[in-house]
Amino acid sequence: MTDNELMQEVYSGNQEALSDLIELYYADIFRFCLYMVQSEDDAYDITQETFLKFIKYSSAYRQYNLKGYLLTIARNLCFSYFRMQKERNHSYERETLEKLPIQNDSIQNTENSIYLQKLLSELSPENREVVILRTYEELKFKDIAKMMGCSVSTVKSRFRLGVQHLKRMVEDGNGKS
């Protein structure tokens, strides 16, 4: 079933279609939130809130890319989260060893995931977001630009700068425990 067909079923009140939609995109939205906020509990909460907002305002959905729409909601909620953290002036150290969804249980993959998360945390929020959306969510630059409300060239520049920064950190051995 395509996204549009799924949305038509949701509009007609089909609860099973809504469940299918959530099941289809939940892991992607959670992974994005986890990379952005780097806290499993907060990522879980933001993911839940993303789908609650989507359900509440589903009649406003007019796009062709449902995943992009959900990621936009999640992105806005992540930035709201950052604003709230900043406003509270709540300075706590982030745990270095976050639990990540891991495809393979090998120790090497776990170490690589932790290392990558630590490297990503060193990027500016804008560059980190572009790198995550392009690399992990496999979105096109034009879709990322639309989500972020900036030009495609700005997105490409942020991606290039983010990748260069990651490469420098790896070459310099930064982030290694």
Side-chain angles (χ1 to χ4, degrees), residues 77-106:
L77 290 170
C78 286
F79 282 115
S80 292
Y81 165 87
F82 292 138
R83 272 192 303 277
M84 286 183 351
Q85 295 295 80
K86 192 174 188 179
E87 287 170 7
R88 289 183 200 155
N89 201 10
H90 190 192
S91 59
Y92 61 89
E93 286 188 11
R94 294 182 184 170
E95 293 182 27
T96 338
L97 302 174
E98 294 286 343
K99 294 181 183 173
L100 293 173
I102 298 171
Q103 302 291 335
N104 186 334
D105 288 335
S106 76

Side-chain angles (χ1 to χ4, degrees), residues 106-122:
S106 76
I107 292 174
Q108 184 63 43
N109 282 344
T110 303
E111 289 174 352
N112 289 342
S113 294
I114 292 167
Y115 179 60
L116 179 59
Q117 183 180 8
K118 187 170 184 182
L119 291 175
L120 285 170
S121 72
E122 297 294 321

Side-chain angles (χ1 to χ4, degrees), residues 90-158:
H90 190 192
S91 59
Y92 61 89
E93 286 188 11
R94 294 182 184 170
E95 293 182 27
T96 338
L97 302 174
E98 294 286 343
K99 294 181 183 173
L100 293 173
I102 298 171
Q103 302 291 335
N104 186 334
D105 288 335
S106 76
I107 292 174
Q108 184 63 43
N109 282 344
T110 303
E111 289 174 352
N112 289 342
S113 294
I114 292 167
Y115 179 60
L116 179 59
Q117 183 180 8
K118 187 170 184 182
L119 291 175
L120 285 170
S121 72
E122 297 294 321
L123 298 178
S124 71
E126 295 84 9
N127 292 352
R128 179 174 56 232
E129 180 180 18
V130 172
V131 169
I132 291 168
L133 289 172
R134 178 71 176 148
T135 307
Y136 295 103
E137 301 304 328
E138 299 176 354
L139 293 180
K140 296 178 180 170
F141 287 121
K142 68 177 183 171
D143 293 333
I144 298 170
K146 188 175 180 181
M147 278 178 63
M148 296 181 78
C150 60
S151 70
V152 173
S153 60
T154 299
V155 170
K156 287 180 178 179
S157 176
R158 287 178 181 170

Side-chain angles (χ1 to χ4, degrees), residues 44-55 73 77:
Y44 174 78
D45 291 343
I46 294 170
T47 302
Q48 294 296 319
E49 192 173 344
T50 297
F51 284 102
L52 289 173
K53 280 195 180 286
F54 174 75
I55 293 166
I73 295 171
L77 290 170

Side-chain angles (χ1 to χ4, degrees), residues 1 5-26 50-56 58 66 70:
M1 193 179 282
E5 292 170 339
L6 203 52
M7 285 307 298
Q8 289 303 318
E9 290 294 315
V10 169
Y11 291 145
S12 68
N14 183 340
Q15 293 297 317
E16 189 175 312
L18 183 59
S19 294
D20 291 345
L21 183 145
I22 292 170
E23 187 177 318
L24 181 63
Y25 292 113
Y26 190 89
T50 297
F51 284 102
L52 289 173
K53 280 195 180 286
F54 174 75
I55 293 166
K56 184 175 182 179
S58 65
L66 185 55
L70 291 168

